[in-house]
């Protein structure tokens, strides 16, 4: 019996305790429910939308030097060496071509002397006009053959087509070379471009001169081709750049500005949240959280344009939205006051 009385007393005390706790919670002052939030004052700003691409650094002047005749490769300039236009980079050793030129040069000299002698004989009446014409024709023929031999001789010399840098040789010195074989790359390291591809979906809106960033440095888009590449199904675009440290053939980050707007409402993207299929933001009005629907425009990284729902000087809540509901009392954080 005594145990039952003790249980009743304990149960009654428990009920009283729960009642006091519930009553105390119900009577909390509004000040105790205030949420601390961080805010930003809505201002008119400029915003741009960009697309990211990977570009390749190219030289505006680059080529592969090809052997025009067969022979043995003799390398005269090392890879990475800067040379002037016309300087000798390599030579194809071909003794047949060299000896043929020497021989035909001697033949031309002999034919010239014979013609000059025939001219003197004709003037003195010793030689006929027909004989003079034969010597002249022989000299003309020998000059033609010598000219062809000179062209062949020039083709064994591999010279710089413009001021630039010698690239990597495809063959080692002393290697046998076939006519038409690629010998070495050659490029201008000063005048560089970045080549990248733009998808068909946005190329119609892109114009030459559009703002573009290469490794975070701003340039103007030099040119975009209005012709679809059959392999990539994209349109090639080019940017002239100034870069002392860029390596020809390397890849770089390209950020193309596809849309720009000025003096529009822009707020941090983190201020926006999705609810019931729509976008919303919280404003601070009369020290309370005011839920408003918004419509979004273009986005630039962590910023977004608001086309409807906000006006200049509205105070928008930037963080803490997950703890809020409409008309809940809020207090602006002292650590991050309203931005003016």
């Amino acid at each position: 019996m005594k145990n039952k009385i003790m249980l009743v007393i304990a149960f009654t005390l428990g009920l009283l305790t729960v009642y006091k706790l519930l009553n105390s919670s119900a009577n909390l002052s509004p000040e105790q429910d205030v949420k601390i939030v961080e805010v930003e004052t809505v201002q008119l700003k400029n915003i741009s939308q960009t697309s990211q691409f990977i570009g390749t650094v190219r030289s505006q002047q680059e080529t592969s030097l090809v052997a025009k005749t067969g022979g043995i490769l003799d390398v005269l300039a090392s890879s990475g060496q800067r040379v002037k236009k016309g300087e000798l980079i390599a030579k194809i050793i071909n003794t047949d071509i060299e000896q043929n030129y020497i021989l035909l040069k001697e033949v031309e000299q002999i034919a010239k002397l014979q013609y000059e002698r025939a001219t003197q004989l004709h003037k003195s009446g010793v030689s006929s006009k027909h004989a003079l014409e034969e010597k002249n024709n022989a000299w003309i023929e020998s000059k033609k053959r010598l000219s062809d031999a000179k062209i062949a001789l020039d083709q064994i010399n591999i010279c710089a087509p413009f001021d630039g840098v010698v690239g990597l040789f495809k063959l080692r010195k002393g290697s046998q070379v076939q006519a038409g074989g690629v010998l070495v790359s050659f490029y201008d390291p000063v005048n560089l471009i970045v080549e990248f591809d733009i998808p068909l979906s946005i190329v119609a809106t892109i114009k030459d001169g559009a703002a573009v960033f290469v490794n975070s440095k701003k340039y103007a888009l030099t040119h975009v081709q209005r012709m679809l590449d059959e392999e990539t199904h994209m349109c090639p675009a080019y940017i002239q750049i100034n870069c002392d440290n860029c390596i020809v053939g390397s890849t770089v980050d390209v950020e193309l500005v596809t849309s720009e707007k000025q003096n529009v409402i822009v707020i941090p993207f983190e201020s926006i949240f999705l609810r019931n299929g729509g976008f919303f933001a919280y404003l601070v009005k009369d020290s309370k959280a005011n839920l408003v629907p918004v419509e979004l425009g273009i986005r630039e990284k962590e910023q977004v344009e608001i086309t409807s729902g906000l006006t200049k000087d509205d105070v928008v809540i930037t963080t803490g939205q997950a703890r809020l509901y409409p008309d809940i009392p809020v207090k602006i954080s002292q650590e991050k006051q309203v931005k003016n």
Side-chain angles (χ1 to χ4, degrees):
M1 185 68 178
K2 184 177 179 180
N3 290 336
K4 290 182 178 180
I5 294 173
M6 294 298 293
L7 287 173
V8 171
I9 293 173
F11 181 77
T12 303
L13 290 174
L15 289 176
L16 289 173
T17 301
V18 171
Y19 175 79
K20 288 182 178 180
L21 289 173
L22 293 175
N23 189 50
S24 174
S25 176
N27 293 328
L28 284 176
S29 64
E31 187 68 20
Q32 291 175 291
D33 281 335
V34 173
K35 301 296 184 182
I36 306 299
V37 294
E38 294 181 354
V39 299
E40 183 171 310
T41 300
V42 175
Q43 300 289 344
L44 299 181
K45 301 178 182 178
N46 299 337
I47 189 171
S48 58
Q49 189 172 38
T50 60
S51 295
Q52 310 292 326
F53 302 96
I54 298 296
T56 303
V57 178
R58 305 287 189 195
S59 172
Q60 291 191 58
Q61 293 188 94
E62 59 179 304
T63 185
S64 294
L65 302 181
V66 177
K68 295 180 180 180
T69 187
I72 304 299
L73 177 63
D74 184 15
V75 176
L76 303 176
S78 58
S79 296
Q81 182 177 336
R82 291 177 177 266
V83 296
K84 296 290 185 180
K85 180 179 179 180
E87 286 188 25
L88 202 58
I89 296 175
K91 184 177 181 180
I92 308 299
I93 300 175
N94 188 314
T95 55
D96 291 341
I97 292 176
E98 293 175 352
Q99 290 176 357
N100 185 55
Y101 175 75
I102 294 172
L103 176 61
L104 290 177
K105 190 173 183 180
E106 293 177 352
V107 170
E108 188 271 339
Q109 290 294 323
I110 294 172
K112 179 181 178 182
L113 292 173
Q114 289 178 345
Y115 170 72
E116 291 174 347
R117 182 180 179 186
T119 301
Q120 294 297 325
L121 292 174
H122 177 68
K123 288 181 179 180
S124 63
V126 176
S127 177
S128 67
K129 183 178 180 181
H130 178 71
L132 178 62
E133 290 177 349
E134 285 185 344
K135 296 300 182 183
N136 185 40
N137 291 335
W139 183 33
I140 292 173
E141 181 62 26
S142 66
K143 286 194 292 185
K144 289 181 179 179
R145 295 174 62 191
L146 179 61
S147 177
D148 292 340
K150 180 64 168 59
I151 292 174
L153 183 66
D154 290 339
Q155 289 179 344
I156 71 174
N157 295 323
I158 311 300
C159 299
F162 47 81
D163 293 354
V165 174
V166 179
L168 295 175
F169 279 90
K170 307 302 181 182
L171 299 172
R172 292 184 178 181
K173 183 175 181 178
S175 299
Q176 182 70 40
V177 175
Q178 300 295 327
V182 176
L183 300 177
V184 62
S185 58
F186 190 77
Y187 64 96
D188 173 12
V190 177
N191 300 306
L192 302 179
I193 61 172
V194 170
E195 180 180 343
F196 67 105
D197 293 325
I198 300 178
L200 184 61
S201 58
I202 66 171
V203 74
T205 64
I206 306 302
K207 297 181 179 180
D208 293 352
V212 61
F213 295 84
V214 177
N215 286 344
S216 300
K217 186 176 180 180
K218 188 175 182 179
Y219 295 95
L221 183 65
T222 305
H223 178 64
V224 55
Q225 290 188 12
R226 303 294 171 176
M227 180 180 292
L228 199 65
D229 186 289
E230 294 182 357
E231 294 183 0
T232 64
H233 298 285
M234 303 176 82
C235 295
Y238 309 92
I239 314 160
Q240 291 183 354
I241 64 170
N242 299 316
C243 183
D244 295 331
N245 300 320
C246 289
I247 299 174
V248 175
S250 64
T251 57
V252 291
D253 294 326
V254 176
E255 187 176 3
L256 177 64
V257 177
T258 56
S259 179
E260 291 183 284
K261 292 186 179 181
Q262 297 182 340
N263 296 322
V264 294
I265 292 176
V266 177
I267 65 173
F269 187 76
E270 62 180 346
S271 305
I272 305 301
F273 59 94
L274 189 63
R275 177 179 290 184
N276 297 327
F279 292 102
F280 291 84
Y282 273 115
L283 302 182
V284 175
K285 287 188 177 181
D286 300 325
S287 298
K288 292 183 179 181
N290 183 26
L291 183 67
V292 294
V294 295
E295 293 183 6
L296 309 186
I298 64 176
R299 180 180 177 183
E300 179 183 7
K301 297 180 181 178
E302 302 305 320
Q303 302 287 313
V304 64
E305 175 198 9
I306 303 299
T307 59
S308 176
L310 299 180
T311 60
K312 185 177 179 295
D313 297 326
D314 281 343
V315 179
V316 63
I317 297 175
T318 58
T319 57
Q321 298 93 327
R323 301 178 292 110
L324 303 180
Y325 53 85
D327 296 326
I328 185 175
V330 294
K331 183 178 181 181
I332 298 172
S333 171
Q334 297 298 316
E335 295 182 0
K336 194 171 183 180
Q337 292 289 348
V338 178
K339 295 181 181 180
N340 294 319

